[in-house]
Amino acid sequence: MKKMLSLALAGVMALSLMACSAQNGGDSSENTSSPSSSQSSEETQNNETPESVTITSLNANKEAAELEVPYDPQRIAILDMASLDILDALGVGDRVVGTASTSLEYLQDYINDDIANLGTIKEADLEAVMACEPDVIFIGGRLASSYDALSEIAPVVYLATDTELGVVESARQNATTIASMFGLEDKVDELMADFDARIAALSEFAAGKTAIVGLVTSGSYNVLGNDGRCSMIGREIGFENIGVDANIDTSTHGNEASFEFIVEKAPDYIFVMDRDAAIGTDGAKLAQKIMENELVMGTDAYKNGNIVYLAHPAVWYTAEGGITALDLMLQDLESELLG
């Protein structure tokens, strides 16, 4: 009886040892080649940060071209306020090591002793740009002639507003281009979420109404078409811009118009952008003093309170195409037109 009991116990112990061995062997196999570790390895490989990305920007001839730029650049030189506006909205403004001077209030945090002064948006200080050792340089149309010289220092991202496309879509495209350099594309839709609805509300108001759009400079009123500055008023908002022939180039500073011309055209609305205020011209008359003369005060537009002075002229003149700029531009129109 004792012999049978001993044999039974020996059999149980043998089975236990085999089970432990199988369990330990299984754990070892799982640790060396588990699905989770394999997946983690693949994810690590797929999520490797690229050294550079290829974007589309303009070249020295103002033509769209592919450009290789560093991915997630750490040192950024700014010579275009719309681009600085977008970088600021995306939350990467801390990468800015040098910028052109600007009077824009909402970008004054970038004008300080810790950020190099690189000149103006019309004339870059090439030595200062080189000294700040940028990974990438942003410019606008005013510096197209300096594209090649700046490209000797670092890749030059040259973005602009396409009036055919419209200010809103241009801002969206340019913001997406810039965001792609930092892997922040998902932020663009969030930042621009309400612009289409705001444009639609203004368009509903503008339907069937005529306007003359222009800027005041050096004591005169220059009319603007739908091919440059303030084009959003006629092209996207939808006022019928009766100030100029569609085939006349007004993209720079417009075409000087007499006040008799305004009386003759008899627009429902007159839009005024004060260029002198935008660029801080010393001793310049305020736009309102220039516009509100005897002739203009005789028009229905004046009598009906329909002369709209754009409250943020520096934004319209120097930052069109930025995200915060677009918000302020729409505010200028909404406050005067929608109440």
Side-chain angles (χ1 to χ4, degrees):
M1 184 71 177
K2 287 183 178 178
K3 185 175 181 181
M4 290 177 65
L5 183 59
S6 297
L7 288 171
L9 288 171
V12 169
M13 291 178 66
L15 289 170
S16 297
L17 288 169
M18 288 173 65
C20 288
S21 175
Q23 184 176 358
N24 289 337
D27 286 346
S28 174
S29 172
E30 189 174 327
N31 287 340
T32 56
S33 183
S34 68
S36 60
S37 65
S38 175
Q39 182 178 356
S40 175
S41 175
E42 288 176 9
E43 287 177 355
T44 301
Q45 185 174 0
N46 291 338
N47 290 335
E48 287 182 0
T49 302
E51 291 186 3
S52 64
V53 292
T54 300
I55 64 170
T56 300
S57 77
L58 302 179
N59 59 24
N61 297 321
K62 303 183 179 181
E63 299 167 338
E66 289 190 343
L67 176 71
E68 186 176 358
V69 296
Y71 180 75
D72 199 25
Q74 299 299 305
R75 299 180 64 81
I76 300 172
I78 291 289
L79 292 160
D80 174 57
M81 291 304 112
S83 295
L84 178 56
D85 175 315
I86 292 170
L87 289 161
D88 179 70
L90 289 171
V92 290
D94 58 340
R95 317 286 182 86
V96 174
V97 294
T99 182
S101 58
T102 179
S103 63
L104 294 170
E105 291 183 11
Y106 70 96
L107 294 178
Q108 286 306 298
D109 285 349
Y110 297 95
I111 307 301
N112 59 61
D113 292 338
D114 296 325
I115 297 177
N117 184 332
L118 305 183
T120 71
I121 57 177
K122 292 179 65 176
E123 187 174 355
D125 182 337
L126 295 178
E127 290 186 4
V129 175
M130 185 178 298
C132 74
E133 300 180 337
D135 298 324
V136 66
I137 303 166
F138 287 87
I139 70 168
R142 294 175 176 89
L143 278 172
S145 61
S146 298
Y147 181 96
D148 290 336
L150 289 166
S151 293
E152 295 293 323
I153 302 171
V156 175
V157 180
Y158 170 14
L159 301 174
T161 299
D162 182 341
T163 54
E164 291 291 329
L165 188 62
V167 176
V168 177
E169 284 307 310
S170 290
R172 196 189 314 276
Q173 283 195 8
N174 291 344
T176 300
T177 296
I178 293 174
S180 71
M181 297 169 60
F182 303 90
L184 297 173
E185 295 93 327
D186 290 345
K187 291 195 69 172
V188 176
D189 286 342
E190 175 189 343
L191 290 168
M192 301 196 64
D194 68 339
F195 288 137
D196 290 335
R198 293 168 71 183
I199 290 284
L202 287 164
S203 296
E204 184 176 351
F205 176 87
K209 296 181 176 69
T210 61
I212 289 180
V213 182
L215 59 81
V216 167
T217 182
S218 303
S220 66
Y221 182 69
N222 292 10
V223 294
L224 296 165
N226 294 335
D227 59 344
R229 294 185 174 92
C230 302
S231 63
M232 180 170 69
I233 295 170
R235 190 173 291 279
E236 287 157 280
I237 304 302
F239 281 93
E240 182 187 353
N241 187 347
I242 59 174
V244 291
D245 185 295
N247 296 320
I248 296 177
D249 180 7
T250 65
S251 60
T252 306
H253 297 139
N255 296 325
E256 186 173 350
S258 68
F259 294 112
E260 287 83 359
F261 173 83
I262 296 174
V263 173
E264 177 189 343
K265 288 291 185 180
D268 297 322
Y269 280 79
I270 301 171
F271 291 88
V272 183
M273 191 257 281
D274 191 339
R275 177 179 179 268
D276 292 327
I279 62 175
T281 303
D282 290 335
K285 287 185 179 179
L286 292 174
Q288 191 168 353
K289 289 187 176 180
I290 293 169
M291 294 301 299
E292 296 185 9
N293 54 58
E294 185 176 353
L295 287 170
V296 174
M297 290 170 69
T299 64
D300 287 341
Y302 175 83
K303 293 175 183 176
N304 294 331
N306 292 345
I307 297 184
V308 177
Y309 297 96
L310 302 173
H312 296 89
V315 173
W316 289 80
Y317 193 68
T318 65
E320 185 181 68
I323 292 175
T324 301
L326 182 53
D327 175 48
L328 292 170
M329 291 160 69
L330 290 176
Q331 285 183 41
D332 286 355
L333 299 176
E334 290 163 340
S335 63
E336 295 291 330
L337 303 177
L338 304 183

